[in-house]
Amino acid sequence: MKKKITLKQIAKELDVSISTVSKSLRNSLDIGEETRLKVQAFAKFYNYKPNNIALSLKNRKSKTIGIIIPEIVHYFFSTVINGIEQVANENGYSVIICLSDDSFDKEVLNMEMLANGSIDGFIMSLSKETQFKEDFHHITEVINQGMPVVMFDRVANEILCDKVIINDKQAAYDAVQSLIDKGRKKIALVTTVDYVSVGKLRTDGYTKALWDNEIPFDENLIIKIEDVDTCEITIEQFLKDKTIDGILAVNELFAVTSIKAATKIGLKVPEDLAVIAFTDGIISKYATPTITTVSQSGIKMGNKAAKMLIERLESEDSDDENYKTEVIETHLIERESTEV
Amino acid sequence: MKKKITLKQIAKELDVSISTVSKSLRNSLDIGEETRLKVQAFAKFYNYKPNNIALSLKNRKSKTIGIIIPEIVHYFFSTVINGIEQVANENGYSVIICLSDDSFDKEVLNMEMLANGSIDGFIMSLSKETQFKEDFHHITEVINQGMPVVMFDRVANEILCDKVIINDKQAAYDAVQSLIDKGRKKIALVTTVDYVSVGKLRTDGYTKALWDNEIPFDENLIIKIEDVDTCEITIEQFLKDKTIDGILAVNELFAVTSIKAATKIGLKVPEDLAVIAFTDGIISKYATPTITTVSQSGIKMGNKAAKMLIERLESEDSDDENYKTEVIETHLIERESTEV
């Protein structure tokens, strides 16, 4: 319906120089306010958006935070969102959520859509595919144009921005140490085969705890679950083949499934097999036995991420490149699966 | 920064009549395109938004669907979102999610924010407070301005729009009937004390099933949980006071808590007490014993809602007021909590 317009045409239409148009679109103070606003309005009306993010930033009045998370049927991400909502609402900000569905393309498209004037800044956790591809151009571009981004949980070192993480390595270390303290010596790690940064860190923590306690590391005690649907059979077979007395599972689902498989072949939890899960969700709380978990403090993580973003949005010095990485404390919530 | 502008000032500025401005803002075809667009651009630039939704609709190119749900840490709503995403993505639509947090004000603010040009239409489920207040002006206003709304699950008869629901009364009836078929005669209903439409319907279905089977209705067998934190104690006390052999719980949490309370006082599930829960989520699947559930088919509900919205968005006759209510089939997923 609307005609496409070029920089040149805007200049002609408004009887100003191309340089004036260009500078106005960059909101340069070289150009008087009246002209700047007129040029911007025209450009906007004709969908001419060379520098759209930077433009929308100058008025910063959407008072809206955009969240991009990989998936929604996931207790941890849901609690982070609740944590963000709390702080956002206290500070008069609205929150918009988009899902990347662990797809790189969807992450890029959603960022583009939201950056387009709807929001003031992002809080995000990377999709698995983005972590695998290691292509972060869509995020660095947004940051370079002056829109603040706070990353949480699944972050990338290559991206210069504020981050909120848990110390996954230390958390895994502490969990394995607590199993060793309870006299467990043959401890398995039930994990995934993905490219998510946290997976590697948790394996490192597991390995280091064994090492520090002079327990020989056995690669065969790391179970990489390829297919969640057959995960119970995989674990059952593993428990038949190996004699172990402890399990650290990287998520609740693997933990509860390990308990089911163990019970099926006559092992008692926690007597024969102690189990600890990452992520304190509803399964752990309502399973029988209830499951000891590493609390990732999703609420705290969300609170902190929102605080960091809002501080940046409301700071005088919006070009401050002094980025911080906040580490949220984790702790073990001890339940029946480790108490003998 | 920008001056406030009146209809009159726009007319003066552009040297046209007030009626022309007014009609242009309503996108009336009485006014030539050039003038209409010019007036709209001016009004937009000065944040004059008398009819903003209708304006943004005419171009309908955001290709984005807005979802408003009451809460996110809720398996059912998460699966509905996944269902919406599937169909939306297949049809080239993006999805934006906002949470009402069961608050009327947040629902109103979020609708206002999203309706403001970011999206083409809404898929929503009412907040508890909105259902209690019975104030739906924010939704009818959006619909009256021509933006389609599809409601799901928590709907209101007063709002004329497309709806996707399950037959909560029939689903509760079927669940209670299945307990009666298994020989249970003293069946309790564990429910909430809220104003959500589905709660009433489920109670009606429970009551009708008893009636049709000539089992006397006993008001004292309806447990209304006021506080989730003390819900286990409430149910435990109830099970000590009354002799019952079946429970229909309106959610998974009440079901798993009922089982825990029953086990605690020495009742066996399902031998002494059979339990059925509404909503097939992860707790039911991983509890011990696993719990028989009424599947609400969140994915199907989301699929259907997205289809209805997209059909309306892409239909030639956008003013068609022939609204439909689609009823998604539910079914019982039988698990250990009812199998003797």
Side-chain angles (χ1 to χ4, degrees), chain B residues 148-165:
Chain B
V149 173
V150 176
M151 305 191 75
F152 72 90
D153 196 49
R154 297 194 199 160
V155 305
N157 291 331
E158 294 90 328
I159 305 171
L160 295 177
C161 68
D162 292 322
K163 288 162 198 162
V164 189
I165 54 169

Side-chain angles (χ1 to χ4, degrees), chain A residues 1 41 59 64 72-73 75 78 81-82 85 89 94-98 106 113 253 256 260 286-288, chain B residues 1 37 45 59 64 72-73 75 78 81-82 85 89 94-98 106 113 253 256 260 286-288:
Chain A
M1 192 159 154
N59 290 321
T64 303
I72 202 159
V73 187
Y75 188 81
S78 303
I81 288 173
N82 279 352
E85 288 266 356
N89 294 340
S94 299
V95 172
I96 280 180
I97 305 149
C98 284
K106 269 197 79 176
M113 171 181 69
L253 203 65
V256 74
K260 278 193 181 273
Y286 292 105
T288 307
Chain B
M1 193 160 151
L37 295 181
F45 172 51
N59 290 321
T64 304
I72 202 160
V73 187
Y75 189 79
S78 302
I81 288 174
N82 278 351
E85 288 265 355
N89 294 340
S94 300
V95 171
I96 280 179
I97 305 150
C98 284
K106 268 197 80 176
M113 171 180 68
L253 203 66
V256 74
K260 279 192 182 275
Y286 292 104
T288 307

Side-chain angles (χ1 to χ4, degrees), chain B residues 42-57:
Chain B
F42 243 82
K44 200 173 175 186
F45 172 51
Y46 286 106
N47 283 323
Y48 184 83
K49 299 167 186 167
N51 222 338
N52 195 51
I53 295 173
L55 284 182
S56 76
L57 282 179

